[in-house]
Amino acid sequence: MQQIYSHQDINGQYLPFPAGKVVCIGQNYADHIAELNSVKRPEPLFFIKPNSALCAVEASFEIPKHSGVCHNELELAVLIFKPLKNVTPEHVNAGIWGYGLALDLTLREVQSKLKKQGRPWELAKGFDGACPISPFINKSEIEYPQDIDLQLTVNGQSRQKGNTKNMIRGINQLISQMSQHFTLMPGDVVLTGTPAGVGPLKCGDKLELSLSSAKSNWQFNSTVR
Ligand code: ZN
């Protein structure tokens, strides 16, 4: 049976918000746009993963076995704890509880096919377990969220390395823009885009996800099932 996911903080305490929707932005780092041979567009590309996509990243998570290549996309995740609707960038911070790391798992072959057909992406990015996520660090512990180093290593080899200062749209700007279309509710999660280095995951891969800010460093370990 699938385990029910709940948001947790870094000390393993459950947080008193439901696991909500996951609002994501595609193509928010220039180096990732280049690796997909895509082009930068003036309008942001938003999409949503349902709450059934959420699962804990720590210890292990499962990938689909019969749907072609499943890519890692390591992203800074933002946990919302107050409703945000039509907010300006200056008002976003009041609605943020904290930060964590997520994998925006992507069935790349399925996605390419859907893109070619002009169809939406849910089958490639919204399946059960498509958003393994870490516990959340309260925002009081991260002084400069727009200067966080993110890293993913797979079997001891660095695969993705980025810094949130290289986002095309900064965290507050992109959440403000999202809130013009989708009200963000307590327990919703925002994914902020992936830096370069996406690649195929396979069963048995050992992952290390790390997040470093000026003062501290957090690490989460996992195995792909
Ligand atoms: Zn992504």
Side-chain angles (χ1 to χ4, degrees):
M1 210 178 75
Q2 181 137 6
Q3 229 184 327
I4 303 292
Y5 168 83
S6 302
H7 295 310
Q8 283 183 44
D9 72 12
I10 207 78
N11 302 311
Q13 300 292 315
Y14 286 106
L15 295 168
F17 330 114
K21 62 184 177 291
V22 184
V23 186
C24 310
I25 183 167
Q27 311 194 339
N28 200 28
Y29 286 83
D31 57 353
H32 174 61
I33 297 176
E35 77 176 345
L36 289 187
N37 293 318
S38 201
V39 287
K40 190 175 159 182
R41 295 191 176 84
E43 290 298 315
L45 195 172
F46 294 144
F47 59 95
I48 291 181
K49 291 177 185 254
N51 62 356
S52 46
L54 287 166
C55 62
V57 73
E58 277 191 307
S60 69
F61 64 89
E62 207 174 342
I63 56 172
K65 304 289 183 296
H66 308 289
S67 308
V69 170
C70 183
H71 273 185
N72 55 271
E73 292 193 359
L74 177 71
E75 312 199 2
L76 181 76
V78 183
L79 178 63
I80 304 298
F81 87 124
K82 282 188 183 151
L84 295 174
K85 183 179 173 67
N86 289 326
V87 289
T88 59
E90 303 78 66
H91 288 97
V92 164
N93 203 41
I96 293 178
W97 189 87
Y99 303 93
L101 291 174
L103 293 172
D104 168 16
L105 293 184
T106 304
L107 296 168
R108 196 65 73 191
E109 292 162 18
V110 174
Q111 187 195 29
S112 304
K113 211 164 146 189
L114 293 170
K115 276 183 178 174
K116 258 185 232 142
Q117 297 171 342
R119 291 186 169 191
W121 295 358
E122 275 84 351
L123 293 175
K125 282 178 173 281
F127 55 88
D128 285 354
C131 190
I133 197 159
S134 75
F136 288 92
I137 302 149
N138 188 260
K139 67 178 173 187
S140 62
E141 298 189 52
I142 296 182
E143 207 176 347
Y144 302 110
Q146 211 61 73
D147 185 7
I148 289 176
D149 281 312
L150 315 173
Q151 187 170 210
L152 172 68
T153 68
V154 180
N155 303 321
Q157 306 250 323
S158 174
R159 181 172 291 188
Q160 288 195 272
K161 224 176 178 168
N163 185 295
T164 55
K165 66 174 178 246
N166 296 322
M167 288 178 182
I168 294 169
R169 284 182 178 78
I171 299 163
N172 290 11
Q173 188 199 350
L174 91 90
I175 293 178
S176 161
Q177 277 184 292
M178 285 172 173
S179 81
Q180 316 300 316
H181 304 279
F182 315 108
T183 300
L184 295 165
M185 300 296 290
D188 284 354
V189 173
V190 169
L191 298 194
T192 55
T194 186
V198 302
L201 293 172
K202 53 183 192 332
C203 289
D205 279 347
K206 301 260 183 248
L207 310 188
E208 201 178 275
L209 294 71
S210 65
L211 182 162
S212 325
S213 74
K215 284 186 292 192
S216 316
N217 174 58
W218 291 269
Q219 229 170 60
F220 311 100
N221 295 301
S222 191
T223 302
V224 180
R225 279 190 282 131

